[in-house]
Amino acid sequence: MFVMQQHITLFNKIGRQCFLIATFILLAGPRVLAQSYYFRHYSIDKGLVQSQVLRIFQDSEKYMWLGTYGGVSRFDGTDFTNYTRVDGLTGDLVNAITQANGQILVEDESGVTGIRNGHLKNILKLPQVDWGNSKQLTADGSGRLWIIRRRQLNIITGNKLQPVWITSRDECVMSIALNRNGKLCASIYGNGIYRYDKGSWTKIVSFDGAAKEMGVLRMLFDRFNPAKIYMLTPSKLYEADGQSINEYRNQALDTLKRMLYSVAQDRQGNLWLGTDKGAYYLRKNSPIYFNGGNGFSNNTVYDIYIDSQDNVWLGTNGDGFYKFEGLDLVNISRVDGNPLSMIMDIGQDEAGNVWMGTYGQGLVKFDGHKYTGLQLPSAEPLSKFVVSIAYKKGQPVLFGTLSGLWMLDKGKMRNIGPAHGFPPYINRVMYDEDNTIWAASLKGVFYLKKNGESGFVKGIEGDPETVIPVGKDSVLVGKRHDIVLLKNGVIDPDFKFDQLATSTILCLLRYKNTVIGGTLSEGLFFIDLAKKTIKKYNTHNGLRTNAVYSLLADSDGTIWAGTGTGIEKFRIGPGDHIHFIRDLTANPIIEFNQDAIYKIHGKIWAGGTQGLYMFNTGHAPDAGMQRPQVNLESVRIYEQGTGAAGVNTINLRGSDIPRRLKLNYSNKHITVSYKGIYYPDPESVLYQYRLSGLDKQFSVPTKANMVDFTSLPPGDYTLQIRAIAANGLYSPVCELPVTIYPAFYQTAFFYILLLLLFLMLGILIQWVISYRKVKQNLVLDSIKHQEQIRVRRQTSEDFHDDIGNKLTRIVVLTDILERKSTNQSPEIKSIVNQLKENAANLYSGARDILWSLDPKSDDLQQILLKIKNIAIDMFGNTDTEVIFDEFDVDYNKSLPLEYSRNTLMIFKELLNNVLKHARASKVILKARITHDEVELIVIDDGVGFDVEAANTGRGMSNIRTRAAKMQGNVHINSSRGIGTTVRLKFGIKV
């Protein structure tokens, strides 16, 4: 916006010219204003490697590649990455670019270079430099590289060229291209076009007659008709449909006498032609010739490329490259070759004519067909500065100028200011609902009623900037540091907001029950007239700039705002919530002027510092085509090492980034860089990210295109990144799965191992405790056993010395008594014999007891020996034969005390029963001993007995009781007339 106040002093010094003009002065007749279209322009000042752009190409990740005379540039919408011979290219002059086998292939005068993730590798080096510009490089669907060198078709095999002849060795191949099915096609001069499929060539177009002289520089296959081929020659464009070849017809080409260099087709089917001076947009009904006079360039257009989102890119000779922003924005900036001054305001009259006020060039009138420059009928130089226009149906058109207030009524223009006391330097003029004229000027606010009454509003100090009606008797005045409500021409003291104390109100708009105020540096204010509340919106909550100069409400509820950096669009929701609309395909960064916005014929006309801009409101871009794309650029991994500060870094770029990033526990610090590709408005792209597995929501949108993660705990994550375009559309989510492996001490295996270790430690502790207890018990048992042995030995000795001697004495005395009683009666002899026998038995039993008490008797070998001796003694004077079968063993195993005693007593009982009752002729004793069991067997061939009956006897009961005390058992097998077998089994403690 141009601030008038800064120039008032200058204009007061200008001498007034003394001449009167009664009617409009036509400035040398009608003036046709130059209509300019909007292109984004990129050249070396923006970072392009060199200004002569020969080839344009878009790769699979939507990056643009520009081949120039000085190398190749990769462009992402904002930044360039350049590669030259110094970086590894085989040459300088880049003629062709394609993509195959995961890399970008760049062809220049000296060979072909592959570029992959920023690394360059020479694929083909030519022995001889070829400076011709006829070279073309194409990769077919199988990844084979086809190249034209010196009009010869070749395949690149390894690092060599392999010639390919289609018809003959002397053929001249002019161009190659892929058809819509990805099949390679080649144009041969004077012959035709051939298609390569499954190892053979098929002629699809014949050059007959005049076509034989046609040198096809470029071939283009129609998007909608696969059989149609466009053929570009240096001077004409032809089309072939089957075998029919015709010159392409378009009214723009009827008189074309320019050299042709490039051809392309957009998604609407329109063709683009690059010439030696500008480019043609061959729309069927209204073709456009773009050149230096309407926003483009007059230089040669070497290449035109339509990318995957239907953006049109044009590479020029010496002027960099351009991106066409569409026809939704037209700029009128020149008049008869001269720059058009700033457009200060726009309005219409009763007849539908459009009026534009300029700053220093008077008025511009558009009658629907032509633009005419007019001057007010005044010699006053300040009358050329028309800053405000007002019109209301049935009322005259008003023009606020620096020379005062003018009125166009029934074709007559007159200055009405002096007659009604209006001062000069009018900032804004308008009609209210009663058709009262209100004017804001440097000296305050003035009004003129329809009855001729005029006046000055008291109490408005400073410089009122704008005024709008808000009711039948009310108007709002925007001024420096305040908004004033006038009711019936008087200031309403209750209408006051402290939030406006530092704001300069430049424009006002009433929308429903809300007044919107645009400010010089504080954004927008929303005032609810009913609630008398105020809200503020600025760059902190969505606006691109805080300078808002003009406001307009469209019929669909869209608010258009002219700002200091372009156009803003938004809608107002409940609670005065703003929803920004970023759907303009072309929105140049320019400064629009105060209140200079108007809707005419379905277009938004906005005046700015560089002329008039007309925006198409009916265009709705294809949302699917306009979505951004986000690419992973690089991943940097920091790991412990020997580098600076003990850290090594690993850098992964592009396709080197794995599908899943696998890191060990020492690589918990990673930095990920990414880039959103959105060519309609690359500067507006915002980013969000979320680390799935750690974050539930995406982050707040930000311009930062890098995220850093430190000290991530082990686990599986997925880094999700998305870009947000200015139109609010999101890109598809770009994902990078990340696995951070835990340290060994963080693994489940380690925890299991640790658990087992603690378990084993517990078991070991328990075992040690148990072992110590066992050892203590063993020591105690040993002590007890030694004490038992001592006691047994002492008892045995005492018993032998005392009772044994006395029993021996009794036996001796009974022998003496028996000898002296030879003459006694038989009764006495019987008593003496019984006494002797009992004494002998008692002595034998005592000997057995003494033997049991002896610690040596605990040995198994001693027990068996004792049993053997008992058997020999018992059956020594009988007819019964005693047989010992494996009874003599060499097995020194000590048994408990009760074992030896009970075993001996069991066998004495068994042998005694055999002796008394069996009438056996033979007795067999066997011993079977293993490492943990003893089995003793007694077998006789006597008369046998009834086992069931014998089990009730006291003797058998004692035998079983004694066996049980040894945790053993006795098994008896006997029947009458067969004999008896008794088995005693008991365990040995190992």
Side-chain angles (χ1 to χ4, degrees):
M1 186 197 75
F2 190 84
V3 181
M4 297 182 298
Q5 201 170 22
Q6 299 174 355
H7 294 265
I8 293 173
T9 304
L10 173 64
F11 289 123
N12 284 334
K13 295 180 180 179
I14 299 176
R16 299 175 180 268
Q17 300 183 18
C18 298
F19 60 91
L20 296 176
I21 304 174
T23 59
F24 288 112
I25 300 176
L26 300 181
L27 297 179
R31 295 185 296 173
V32 178
L33 278 69
Q35 182 168 285
S36 296
Y37 302 92
Y38 186 49
F39 290 81
R40 285 183 185 263
H41 181 216
Y42 304 92
S43 192
I44 56 176
D45 60 324
K46 302 290 180 61
L48 182 66
V49 66
Q50 203 265 347
S51 64
Q52 295 167 286
V53 179
L54 302 174
R55 290 293 179 270
I56 305 176
F57 178 79
Q58 185 179 44
D59 66 21
S60 58
E61 293 185 323
K62 293 186 170 54
Y63 294 106
M64 303 303 301
W65 293 81
L66 298 311
T68 75
Y69 269 90
V72 66
S73 294
R74 192 193 78 164
F75 180 57
D76 59 22
T78 57
D79 300 310
F80 290 88
T81 303
N82 299 323
Y83 303 96
T84 66
R85 183 193 290 267
V86 174
D87 300 302
L89 292 181
T90 56
D92 298 302
L93 192 152
V94 177
N95 290 284
I97 307 171
T98 190
Q99 184 176 19
N101 305 318
Q103 60 183 336
I104 298 298
L105 299 166
V106 177
E107 188 266 354
D108 55 50
E109 78 279 2
S110 299
V112 177
T113 302
I115 303 177
R116 179 187 175 93
N117 303 326
H119 303 291
L120 280 67
K121 180 181 179 181
N122 295 146
I123 294 175
L124 172 68
K125 282 190 175 182
L126 295 175
Q128 185 178 2
V129 175
D130 183 3
W131 292 104
N133 61 1
S134 62
K135 300 175 290 296
Q136 296 184 29
L137 177 69
T138 300
D140 64 16
S142 301
R144 289 171 296 198
L145 296 180
W146 302 78
I147 186 172
I148 297 177
R149 282 281 176 166
R150 302 182 184 276
R151 302 302 184 189
Q152 168 67 55
L153 182 62
N154 301 270
I155 290 181
I156 299 178
T157 304
N159 58 357
K160 296 182 179 179
L161 288 179
Q162 178 182 340
V164 175
W165 292 283
I166 301 173
T167 59
S168 65
R169 289 179 176 268
D170 59 353
E171 66 191 13
C172 179
V173 179
M174 299 293 294
S175 58
I176 55 176
L178 298 180
N179 66 12
R180 294 296 171 183
N181 296 321
K183 304 297 182 182
L184 181 74
C185 296
S187 169
I188 302 176
Y189 180 78
N191 189 319
I193 298 175
Y194 288 78
R195 182 182 64 233
Y196 182 75
D197 190 13
K198 297 179 180 179
S200 62
W201 294 91
T202 303
K203 194 173 189 178
I204 58 175
V205 177
S206 293
F207 294 164
D208 299 319
K212 282 185 174 292
E213 302 300 322
M214 189 168 60
V216 179
L217 302 178
R218 298 277 185 98
M219 289 185 293
L220 176 67
F221 293 85
D222 190 86
R223 288 178 179 266
F224 307 102
N225 183 0
K228 181 180 288 188
I229 306 173
Y230 300 100
M231 297 168 291
L232 184 73
T233 72
S235 59
K236 293 183 180 297
L237 177 65
Y238 295 88
E239 58 182 347
D241 194 348
Q243 292 297 327
S244 175
I245 300 176
N246 298 292
E247 185 177 344
Y248 181 79
R249 307 304 303 179
N250 185 284
Q251 57 180 315
L253 303 181
D254 291 343
T255 59
L256 178 64
K257 295 182 179 179
R258 298 195 178 281
M259 291 286 292
L260 305 182
Y261 284 86
S262 53
V263 61
Q265 185 183 40
D266 62 24
R267 294 196 181 189
Q268 289 71 43
N270 301 311
L271 293 181
W272 290 73
L273 281 182
T275 75
D276 59 353
K277 187 178 181 180
Y280 285 86
Y281 181 23
L282 301 179
R283 298 190 301 173
K284 294 181 180 179
N285 297 326
S286 53
I288 303 174
Y289 172 45
F290 294 120
N291 53 49
N294 58 9
F296 186 53
S297 171
N298 285 327
N299 294 17
T300 299
V301 179
Y302 282 132
D303 199 17
I304 302 176
Y305 189 90
I306 313 295
D307 69 16
S308 60
Q309 293 184 327
D310 209 34
N311 296 305
V312 181
W313 304 81
L314 304 98
T316 72
N317 180 21
D319 200 15
F321 67 100
Y322 290 78
K323 176 181 172 291
F324 179 55
E325 294 296 300
L327 300 176
D328 292 327
L329 172 63
V330 173
N331 171 227
I332 298 175
S333 60
R334 302 184 71 84
V335 179
D336 293 336
N338 298 315
L340 178 63
S341 179
M342 292 182 292
I343 301 296
M344 302 301 295
D345 202 1
I346 306 166
Q348 280 185 292
D349 62 16
E350 193 82 25
N353 299 309
V354 180
W355 294 86
M356 290 165 277
T358 73
Y359 203 78
Q361 291 179 292
L363 289 168
V364 176
K365 176 184 175 184
F366 177 66
D367 61 6
H369 302 284
K370 63 181 179 180
Y371 296 91
T372 304
L374 303 171
Q375 291 288 354
L376 295 175
S378 170
E380 170 61 67
L382 295 181
S383 64
K384 296 181 179 181
F385 297 84
V386 182
V387 297
S388 180
I389 301 175
Y391 167 72
K392 187 178 180 182
K393 188 174 182 180
Q395 301 300 316
V397 181
L398 301 175
F399 300 93
T401 74
L402 296 189
S403 65
L405 180 61
W406 292 74
M407 176 183 290
L408 176 62
D409 188 13
K410 298 179 182 180
K412 295 183 179 181
M413 181 74 76
R414 58 193 178 93
N415 188 344
I416 65 172
H420 298 284
F422 279 59
Y425 306 115
I426 303 295
N427 288 336
R428 187 61 45 210
V429 61
M430 66 91 182
Y431 286 101
D432 68 8
E433 293 185 7
D434 287 332
N435 297 328
T436 297
I437 298 173
W438 294 85
S441 74
L442 295 183
K443 293 186 178 182
V445 176
F446 294 80
Y447 61 88
L448 173 61
K449 296 184 178 181
K450 56 186 177 182
N451 61 6
E453 178 186 345
S454 62
F456 168 73
V457 177
K458 298 180 180 180
I460 298 182
E461 306 296 335
D463 181 14
E465 295 286 347
T466 188
V467 57
I468 63 166
V470 290
K472 189 174 181 60
D473 57 355
S474 302
V475 296
L476 282 175
V477 178
K479 56 189 290 289
R480 295 183 185 276
H481 308 154
D482 204 0
I483 295 178
V484 177
L485 174 63
L486 301 180
K487 289 185 176 180
N488 296 316
V490 179
I491 296 176
D492 181 354
D494 296 329
F495 189 86
K496 191 170 185 64
F497 298 94
D498 295 336
Q499 296 94 323
L500 303 175
T502 60
S503 303
T504 297
I505 307 300
L506 299 180
C507 57
L508 292 170
L509 171 69
R510 174 153 188 195
Y511 180 75
K512 298 181 179 179
N513 203 42
T514 299
V515 171
I516 308 172
T519 70
L520 181 63
S521 60
E522 295 189 49
L524 292 168
F525 286 97
F526 287 71
I527 301 173
D528 188 315
L529 295 177
K531 299 178 182 179
K532 292 188 177 180
T533 58
I534 187 168
K535 285 186 177 182
K536 183 177 181 180
Y537 285 90
N538 51 35
T539 53
H540 293 297
N541 43 23
L543 276 176
R544 286 173 172 163
T545 176
N546 290 326
V548 181
Y549 300 137
S550 56
L551 292 166
L552 172 71
D554 203 349
S555 57
D556 64 354
T558 300
I559 308 298
W560 293 71
T563 75
T565 58
I567 290 289
E568 282 278 21
K569 292 173 62 178
F570 58 87
R571 288 192 176 95
I572 303 175
D576 288 340
H577 176 73
I578 285 184
H579 169 64
F580 289 98
I581 305 169
R582 303 280 165 74
D583 62 351
L584 293 177
T585 57
N587 192 3
I589 300 177
I590 60 171
E591 189 176 39
F592 288 97
N593 285 326
Q594 185 179 357
D595 277 326
I597 191 166
Y598 206 82
K599 184 174 181 181
I600 305 171
H601 306 314
K603 295 181 181 293
I604 301 297
W605 295 42
T609 57
Q610 300 176 33
L612 173 68
Y613 290 83
M614 291 182 285
F615 294 88
N616 188 354
T617 62
H619 178 70
D622 185 336
M625 291 172 54
Q626 298 300 318
R627 289 184 180 274
Q629 173 173 311
V630 63
N631 298 323
L632 287 177
E633 294 261 282
S634 67
V635 174
R636 175 170 290 185
I637 304 167
Y638 301 87
E639 64 177 7
Q640 295 177 358
T642 58
V647 176
N648 291 336
T649 58
I650 302 173
N651 292 307
L652 303 173
R653 297 180 61 185
S655 59
D656 289 338
I657 301 173
R659 293 182 180 271
R660 175 176 287 275
L661 197 60
K662 299 179 180 179
L663 308 173
N664 61 41
Y665 70 97
S666 64
N667 302 137
K668 296 184 292 184
H669 183 185
I670 60 174
T671 300
V672 181
S673 299
Y674 37 87
K675 182 65 179 182
I677 308 298
Y678 183 66
Y679 295 114
D681 192 1
E683 292 84 5
S684 69
V685 174
L686 300 177
Y687 302 93
Q688 290 180 299
Y689 70 87
R690 174 177 65 186
L691 191 62
S692 178
L694 195 65
D695 303 322
K696 292 184 178 180
Q697 303 293 333
F698 276 94
S699 64
V700 175
T702 176
K703 281 190 170 294
N705 64 336
M706 181 180 70
V707 61
D708 191 77
F709 296 103
T710 59
S711 302
L712 286 176
D716 291 321
Y717 306 93
T718 300
L719 176 59
Q720 298 176 316
I721 307 163
R722 65 186 183 187
I724 309 173
N727 55 15
L729 294 177
Y730 292 94
S731 71
V733 174
C734 177
E735 295 188 341
L736 175 62
V738 179
T739 296
I740 297 182
Y741 293 110
F744 175 71
Y745 59 81
Q746 296 173 311
T747 61
F749 178 75
F750 174 79
Y751 290 125
I752 294 173
L753 194 62
L754 191 63
L755 180 63
L756 290 176
L757 182 62
F758 279 118
L759 185 61
M760 292 177 65
L761 184 60
I763 294 173
L764 179 61
I765 293 173
Q766 184 64 33
W767 180 84
V768 170
I769 294 173
S770 300
Y771 176 77
R772 293 183 63 183
K773 287 184 178 180
V774 169
K775 198 167 183 180
Q776 289 174 356
N777 291 335
L778 288 175
V779 172
L780 291 175
D781 289 344
S782 178
I783 294 172
K784 290 179 181 179
H785 184 64
Q786 293 298 324
E787 181 64 19
Q788 286 178 350
I789 291 174
R790 189 188 66 78
V791 171
R792 287 171 63 189
R793 184 180 290 114
Q794 184 67 42
T795 302
S796 176
E797 292 174 354
D798 293 345
F799 191 86
H800 179 273
D801 294 342
D802 187 10
I803 298 176
N805 290 334
K806 291 180 179 179
L807 288 175
T808 301
R809 183 176 177 79
I810 292 173
V811 171
V812 172
L813 290 175
T814 56
D815 285 339
I816 295 173
L817 181 62
E818 182 182 14
R819 286 195 299 270
K820 290 183 176 183
S821 63
T822 55
N823 297 322
Q824 299 296 326
S825 64
E827 182 178 356
I828 293 174
K829 286 183 179 180
S830 175
I831 293 173
V832 171
N833 287 334
Q834 290 180 10
L835 180 61
K836 180 181 179 180
E837 184 179 353
N838 287 333
N841 290 337
L842 180 60
Y843 178 74
S844 176
R847 285 173 60 197
D848 290 343
I849 292 174
L850 290 175
W851 178 85
S852 297
L853 288 174
D854 191 347
K856 295 179 181 178
S857 65
D858 292 341
D859 187 76
L860 180 59
Q861 187 176 11
Q862 292 297 321
I863 295 173
L864 296 180
L865 181 59
K866 182 66 175 176
I867 294 173
K868 183 178 181 181
N869 291 332
I870 290 173
I872 293 173
D873 290 343
M874 191 174 293
F875 293 97
N877 297 321
T878 67
D879 295 332
T880 303
E881 181 184 7
V882 180
I883 300 171
F884 298 95
D885 185 4
E886 298 180 359
F887 211 73
D888 296 325
V889 296
D890 185 12
Y891 190 84
N892 293 322
K893 177 67 178 177
S894 179
L895 299 179
L897 172 63
E898 64 271 15
Y899 278 43
S900 61
R901 172 74 178 164
N902 289 325
T903 302
L904 184 63
M905 297 309 292
I906 288 172
F907 267 80
K908 285 186 71 175
E909 180 70 23
L910 290 174
L911 293 175
N912 189 55
N913 288 338
V914 172
L915 181 63
K916 289 181 178 181
H917 307 293
R919 299 195 295 275
S921 61
K922 182 168 56 178
V923 177
I924 302 173
L925 275 68
K926 293 184 178 181
R928 294 176 181 174
I929 303 172
T930 64
H931 72 286
D932 62 350
E933 188 179 62
V934 175
E935 184 180 22
L936 302 178
I937 306 170
V938 178
I939 304 172
D940 69 71
D941 59 353
V943 296
F945 63 93
D946 185 356
V947 177
E948 293 296 331
N951 282 338
T952 61
R954 185 172 183 82
M956 292 304 299
S957 177
N958 288 339
I959 289 173
R960 295 187 186 280
T961 299
R962 290 182 183 278
K965 289 181 179 180
M966 297 186 295
Q967 286 81 42
N969 62 79
V970 175
H971 179 71
I972 303 174
N973 184 16
S974 180
S975 60
R976 295 189 180 276
I978 296 177
T980 302
T981 300
V982 180
R983 298 176 185 273
L984 170 64
K985 287 184 180 182
F986 58 87
I988 300 174
K989 294 182 179 180
V990 180

